[in-house]
Amino acid sequence: MSAANKITLLRIVLIPLLLAFLVREGTTTDRWIALLIFLLASATDGLDGYLARSRGQVTVLGKLLDPVADKLLVTAALLPLVRDEIVGDWMAALLIGREFLVSGLRSVASAEGVVIPAGSLGKWKMGMSITAISFLIVVPSPSAAAWPAWVPEGAYLLLGTAFLWLTLALSLASAGLYFWEFRHFIQARKGTPAAP
C-alpha cells in the first residue's frame, strides 16, 4: 500500500463526513463546511497522482482505485443536491449512469488484463464536475437559512449549473472515447482490424 494509494483511500473515507453535512437540515454554515470537506477530498485526487508519478509508485491498484474514488465522491455530492432540487434528477442520472458504464467497461478490460487509465478528457470532466459541485454545494437547501447578505442571490446556482452542463458534455464525450478505445482493444484481441 503506497502513500499515493493511502491518500486515495482518504478521499473515500472523507465521503461519509461530506454526506453528514450535506444531508443535514441545517444552516448555510453546514453547506460551507461541506464545501471545505469536498475541496479537501478533491485535492487528494491531484496529490495521489503526483506522489505516484514522482516516486515511481504507479500501481495497477492505484489506476483502478483512483477513478472509483472520484466516482464515489461525485455521486455522494450529487445525490443530496438532487434531493434539494438544486440539480435536476435527469442530469444526475446521466452523470452517475455514465460513471457506472465506464466502471463496468474498465472492469471487463481489467478481467482481460488491460487497465484503461483516465484520459485527458476524463480529467477535464472531473475538474469541471468539482467546479460545478463546489458552487452548488453552497446553494442553500429549501429548509436552510436565507442567502448571506454579501452573496448575490442565485449567483452560485447559475455558475454551478453552467459548469454542470459543461461537465455533462465532457462526460458523454469521454464515455464515447472509452468505448471507442475498448472496441479497438476487442478487435485487436480477435485479430481483426476495427472498422473506421
Side-chain angles (χ1 to χ4, degrees):
M1 180 63 68
S2 66
N5 289 343
K6 288 178 182 177
I7 291 174
T8 304
L9 287 174
L10 174 62
R11 184 153 74 254
I12 296 173
V13 170
L14 286 171
I15 291 172
L17 186 61
L18 170 68
L19 285 171
F21 285 94
L22 274 180
V23 302
R24 285 181 59 184
E25 298 292 335
T27 64
T28 307
T29 304
D30 292 327
R31 292 288 179 156
W32 286 100
I33 294 173
L35 174 62
L36 290 176
I37 296 168
F38 180 74
L39 291 175
L40 175 61
S42 301
T44 65
D45 184 29
L47 182 58
D48 60 8
Y50 170 76
L51 285 177
R53 289 187 297 271
S54 64
R55 297 184 177 184
Q57 296 177 340
V58 177
T59 63
V60 173
L61 175 63
K63 288 181 180 179
L64 293 174
L65 193 61
D66 184 64
V68 169
D70 292 344
K71 289 167 175 49
L72 289 174
L73 178 64
V74 169
T75 300
L78 278 176
L79 292 178
L81 296 176
V82 172
R83 181 203 64 174
D84 293 336
E85 299 180 356
I86 294 170
V87 173
D89 52 2
W90 67 270
M91 184 177 282
L94 281 176
L95 290 169
I96 295 170
R98 179 264 184 204
E99 303 300 342
F100 277 105
L101 285 173
V102 170
S103 293
L105 181 72
R106 279 186 165 144
S107 296
V108 173
S110 178
E112 296 292 330
V114 174
V115 176
I116 303 178
S120 58
L121 199 57
K123 291 176 181 177
W124 273 99
K125 181 268 304 178
M126 184 61 183
M128 283 293 173
S129 64
I130 289 171
T131 304
I133 292 170
S134 295
F135 280 114
L136 295 173
I137 280 177
V138 291
V139 174
S141 63
S143 61
W147 288 87
W150 49 271
V151 176
E153 187 172 354
Y156 292 145
L157 181 61
L158 288 174
L159 286 169
T161 302
F163 279 112
L164 200 63
W165 274 102
L166 288 173
T167 301
L168 181 61
L170 289 172
S171 293
L172 297 177
S174 61
L177 282 178
Y178 280 123
F179 278 93
W180 180 261
E181 290 174 6
F182 185 71
R183 173 174 172 268
H184 280 264
F185 160 70
I186 291 297
Q187 292 289 344
R189 289 296 292 264
K190 291 179 178 178
T192 57

